[in-house]
Amino acid sequence: MSATIEQAGDKGVSREGNAKLISCQEATIPCEEVAMTLSRQFPIHIIDTIGVAPEYQRLHRHDVLEINWIKSGSGHYIINGQRINFQEGDILLINSNDLHRAYEKEHLVMQVTAFDASWFVHDLRYEHDLLAPFAELGIHFTHLLSRDHSKLLQSILSDMQEEYNRSQPLHVSIVRSHLIRFLAYVSRYLRSEAPLSPDGAARHPSSEHDVKVRAAIQAMDRDFARPWTLKELAGLVYLSPSRFSAVFKQTVGVSPVEYLISVRIKHAVRLLESSDLQIINIALECGFRNLSNFYRLFKSSTGYAPSEVRSGGFTKR
């Protein structure tokens, strides 16, 4: 019998995290698990680096999306075996799990922005191309962005870093809005309509995949309390469960399990804030059949216990 998405979430979310730890520890290529160090409410880190630290001169990978703006100097990256030279003013994108290393040529100062794709999981329901610059890297977007709109993009990155560093009231929303602007402009202006490699269309039929993923998202949004199985969701879009999981993760940035849990938690927050339903009834209404797992997943997702949200602690902190 196929396990439901809830059961996979109850066991698989933590199990998936453990699997990542094992793969990083056992792999010969270092894997930085940056996402788990970021705040759940503010999963982004922006910093200026001078030169290249020794550990980043070695081949490595990480689990976040990365934007590099070369503020001064020059050097080159090796990304997935491809050499990419960069100089002052260039902007580069590095996808999660891209194998890469960096080298400085002279006087290198680089702004590094690392963020968790799951921050935008709900935005993708309305702007499904928002993360396309990363989801379609090597297909319709290049790691080294064209300079056609570099002044605009540099201005956005500069404003975003200033807001990040000042940490004034509502800075989380403003930083997030700057990042959305950056991603949207890259997607709008710098997308290559023709695949960048001769077999690109065959390797990555992105438009077809987008349609399939949107159909699955709509089904989960519409009936989020249903005890979905991965096989059922994959069947909706005529893919095998393993292929569906891979396509979904590549397009959305999170797994189908993580997406469905996030939708359920979002509805649970609304009910906690707007209704007098008992917490156990809210859990059931949102598709959680096990109260202890609801508490665990809710705390893991929001950083708060359900009772704290109900008492107003969620908004007061």
Side-chain angles (χ1 to χ4, degrees):
M1 181 180 295
S2 298
T4 65
I5 289 288
E6 181 194 1
Q7 290 168 335
D10 293 344
K11 300 176 183 178
V13 169
S14 59
R15 186 174 64 224
E16 184 178 7
N18 291 336
K20 287 182 180 179
L21 283 170
I22 292 170
S23 65
C24 287
Q25 291 168 350
E26 293 180 348
T28 57
I29 298 172
C31 173
E32 278 192 290
E33 292 192 328
V34 180
M36 65 168 50
T37 69
L38 300 175
S39 163
R40 293 186 184 92
Q41 287 75 38
F42 195 37
I44 185 172
H45 182 63
I46 305 174
I47 191 172
D48 281 344
T49 64
I50 300 175
V52 179
E55 60 266 29
Y56 296 119
Q57 295 176 20
R58 296 191 294 270
L59 198 62
H60 66 285
R61 56 196 173 92
H62 43 62
D63 60 352
V64 291
L65 305 180
E66 188 174 310
I67 303 166
N68 292 169
W69 168 27
I70 312 304
K71 290 188 171 181
S72 66
S74 61
H76 72 271
Y77 262 116
I78 302 295
I79 303 178
N80 298 327
Q82 177 187 6
R83 177 176 173 135
I84 301 174
N85 296 316
F86 57 75
Q87 60 185 328
E88 182 175 336
D90 282 335
I91 298 173
L92 300 99
L93 305 180
I94 300 177
N95 212 346
S96 60
N97 290 317
D98 274 346
L99 301 179
H100 61 285
R101 66 175 90 183
Y103 298 93
E104 176 186 25
K105 183 176 181 181
E106 58 180 1
H107 311 304
L108 180 61
V109 178
M110 181 191 306
Q111 181 204 90
V112 178
T113 298
F115 65 97
D116 190 346
S118 65
W119 204 15
F120 300 106
V121 65
H122 294 294
D123 300 85
L124 294 173
R125 286 185 288 174
Y126 312 106
E127 294 287 357
H128 63 273
D129 286 333
L130 186 62
L131 291 178
F134 289 96
E136 299 177 11
L137 261 179
I139 308 300
H140 293 288
F141 295 89
T142 56
H143 289 282
L144 179 64
L145 297 181
S146 166
R147 287 179 167 245
D148 290 347
H149 300 276
S150 60
K151 293 298 183 183
L152 170 63
L153 298 177
Q154 289 172 21
S155 175
I156 294 173
L157 293 176
S158 178
D159 291 344
M160 181 172 70
Q161 185 174 23
E162 180 180 358
E163 190 66 38
Y164 178 91
N165 289 334
R166 292 170 65 187
S167 296
Q168 293 189 341
L170 297 176
H171 73 285
V172 172
S173 295
I174 296 175
V175 168
R176 190 173 185 277
S177 70
H178 283 312
L179 184 52
I180 287 175
R181 285 182 64 220
F182 176 88
L183 294 169
Y185 280 131
V186 171
S187 188
R188 174 189 288 180
Y189 294 126
L190 301 182
R191 187 179 193 276
S192 171
E193 290 305 319
L196 299 175
S197 57
D199 62 339
R203 288 190 297 105
H204 189 96
S206 58
S207 58
E208 179 184 351
H209 288 171
D210 287 347
V211 171
K212 291 179 180 294
V213 168
R214 284 202 299 273
I217 285 176
Q218 289 169 358
M220 286 187 279
D221 287 346
R222 184 172 56 249
D223 198 5
F224 58 85
R226 176 176 171 168
W228 290 102
T229 65
L230 192 59
K231 184 177 181 180
E232 286 176 327
L233 288 170
L236 290 176
V237 294
Y238 307 103
L239 292 174
S240 70
S242 60
R243 182 60 179 156
F244 170 70
S245 292
V247 168
F248 193 100
K249 180 71 177 285
Q250 182 180 44
T251 303
V252 180
V254 297
S255 69
V257 174
E258 292 169 312
Y259 179 82
L260 182 57
I261 289 173
S262 73
V263 172
R264 290 174 172 178
I265 295 297
K266 184 177 180 180
H267 282 275
V269 168
R270 290 176 179 170
L271 289 174
L272 286 165
E273 293 179 330
S274 63
S275 77
D276 295 324
L277 287 173
Q278 293 182 352
I279 290 178
I280 187 172
N281 291 330
I282 289 176
L284 291 170
E285 187 162 328
C286 292
F288 296 97
R289 305 293 184 265
N290 184 301
L291 189 59
S292 64
N293 285 321
F294 169 67
Y295 272 93
R296 179 176 60 81
L297 292 169
F298 191 98
K299 182 68 179 285
S300 174
S301 177
T302 68
Y304 301 88
S307 57
E308 292 178 288
V309 175
R310 168 141 286 172
S311 66
F314 183 74
T315 56
K316 290 176 182 178
R317 289 188 184 184

